Amino acid sequence: MDPTCQRVKLNDGNFMPVLGFGTYAPPEVPRNRAMEVVKLAIEAGFRHIDSAHLYNNEEQVGLAIRSKIADGSVKREDIFYTSKLWCTFLRPELVQSALESSLKKLQLDYVDLYLIHFPVALKPGEDLIPKDENGKVIFDTVDLCATWEAMEKCKDAGLAKSIGVSNFNRRQLEMILNKPGLRYKPVCNQVECHPYLNQSKLLDFCKSKDIVLVAYSALGTQRLELWMDLNSPVLLEDPVLCALAKKHKRSPALIALRYQLQRGVVVLAKSYNEQRIRENVQVFEFQLTSEDMKVLDGLNRNFRYIVLDFSFRKKKAHNIEPKRRAILTGGPTIHGFPLASQELELQQPADEAFLWGNA
């Protein structure tokens, strides 16, 4: 089946391919490799390409997209490109210039989707993670609703076809949805989502508001110490997932991806391996049974691989049990911003770590 035909209608009338290609790679991977793999992804059938200012690869990703347009493989309108507004640009007066900077690197006239990357504001400047002389992260005080109004202006200006958010919880979404004078709802919320963290409550809420949930780390994320505890369980080695893979004569990765699609979740598949890139588009070639889906639902353990610690120290895995997880609140709670108010104890000391995207 041609994956380019598999799209979901967004609440603003635009369409998003349900299978996306994630482009993040650790710093040690040469940036030119991003150009190579995006070309491979487009050749394999991917039409939804996901990147961000944070990934530091938009120049290479843009070159790959333009190369495939130039050789006649695709037209610009065939490609759905997502970029993200980084935390140091959340002041309203910085939003459009940040998007224009990404467009300049990409050498594209517009992005199909522009997201607020995280609901946390950092001090504006050249540093991705600004710190003081003591190594403490420097936060900023920004009204997210004002940031969203600036996002709406980017859509009005034609610089972004659609606008949305990433790593928002229910209360943060409600803050935007209930904003007086709201002109455009977020079309999506991109969050960590996989069988160990299936986000069922957040998914139900988003569906009720006609907001698409987009899953990143759908395969359990790369084994990078920068973002996660390397002692975390390997999702794709889960015996239940492997048994279903054997049943369907597919890879565990394809079972994990198919699981999301059948839940109505748009899923990002990230790989820099040519064979796996080509394999991942086979997700449209089979279906899981209702019993398979129930079995996969049963794998949920509220286990989060990505716990963003803005000090970028060694990560500890978090098993977020309902009575012991950080309560994420809407409204200004830390630094005047809707962040994780650590009202309940985590299994590991949280410090500056924030847990994203919970219901």
Side-chain angles (χ1 to χ4, degrees), residues 327-338:
I327 301 298
L328 300 182
T329 64
T333 58
I334 300 177
H335 306 289
F337 210 78

Side-chain angles (χ1 to χ4, degrees), residues 13-186:
N14 292 321
F15 289 84
M16 173 194 288
V18 297
L19 177 66
F21 183 73
T23 64
Y24 174 77
E28 59 267 24
V29 175
R31 274 185 284 172
N32 280 343
R33 183 68 181 141
M35 178 183 66
E36 297 168 6
V37 297
V38 171
K39 285 183 180 180
L40 289 172
I42 293 173
E43 291 167 4
F46 283 92
R47 296 295 179 264
H48 177 172
I49 309 297
D50 181 271
S51 188
H53 173 78
L54 175 66
Y55 303 169
N56 196 29
N57 64 9
E58 288 195 294
E59 184 176 344
Q60 291 74 29
V61 172
L63 185 58
I65 292 172
R66 289 182 287 106
S67 171
K68 300 313 294 180
I69 293 172
D71 71 12
S73 298
V74 292
K75 298 177 181 178
R76 174 63 186 94
E77 55 268 28
D78 297 329
I79 298 295
F80 187 97
Y81 178 78
T82 299
S83 187
K84 306 179 190 79
L85 178 73
W86 183 238
C87 303
T88 54
F89 301 106
L90 293 194
R91 292 185 183 181
E93 65 272 19
L94 301 179
V95 172
Q96 182 167 325
S97 60
L99 175 51
E100 289 171 342
S101 176
S102 283
L103 290 172
K104 184 176 181 180
K105 293 175 185 175
L106 293 159
Q107 294 188 41
L108 297 176
D109 294 329
Y110 63 89
V111 299
D112 296 273
L113 177 62
Y114 200 44
L115 306 179
I116 298 177
H117 204 155
F118 284 96
V120 53
L122 301 178
K123 178 185 176 183
E126 295 297 320
D127 295 332
L128 287 173
I129 309 292
K131 297 181 181 181
D132 63 19
E133 63 276 8
N134 298 314
K136 294 289 186 180
V137 175
I138 306 173
F139 294 91
D140 195 18
T141 301
V142 177
D143 179 0
L144 261 185
C145 290
T147 304
W148 186 253
E149 289 175 0
M151 296 282 286
E152 291 178 320
K153 291 177 181 177
C154 288
K155 178 174 170 64
D156 287 337
L159 301 176
K161 297 290 186 182
S162 298
I163 52 176
V165 298
S166 181
N167 299 299
F168 275 47
N169 62 38
R170 173 175 177 160
R171 294 181 185 177
Q172 291 158 346
L173 284 169
E174 287 177 332
M175 182 172 59
I176 300 297
L177 294 172
N178 296 332
K179 185 187 80 66
L182 179 71
R183 295 189 296 119
Y184 304 117
K185 294 199 301 185

Side-chain angles (χ1 to χ4, degrees), residues 189-214:
N189 184 21
Q190 186 182 125
V191 297
E192 179 180 346
C193 186
H194 44 75
Y196 285 171
L197 180 70
N198 69 21
Q199 302 277 18
S200 58
K201 290 183 180 179
L202 185 61
L203 175 59
D204 288 344
F205 174 76
C206 286
K207 285 182 176 180
S208 75
K209 301 299 181 182
D210 197 17
I211 295 172
V212 172
L213 196 75
V214 180

Side-chain angles (χ1 to χ4, degrees), residues 270-287:
K270 185 191 306 176
S271 178
Y272 271 41
N273 177 284
E274 180 175 357
Q275 180 180 347
R276 289 195 288 268
I277 290 171
R278 296 188 184 282
E279 177 187 82
N280 286 340
V281 298
Q282 296 172 15
V283 70
F284 299 104
E285 296 177 3
F286 72 103
Q287 284 193 330

Side-chain angles (χ1 to χ4, degrees), residues 221-232:
T221 200
Q222 302 173 63
R223 311 297 290 182
L224 302 176
E225 188 173 12
L226 177 66
W227 301 109
M228 63 174 288
D229 180 0
L230 297 184
N231 294 317
S232 299

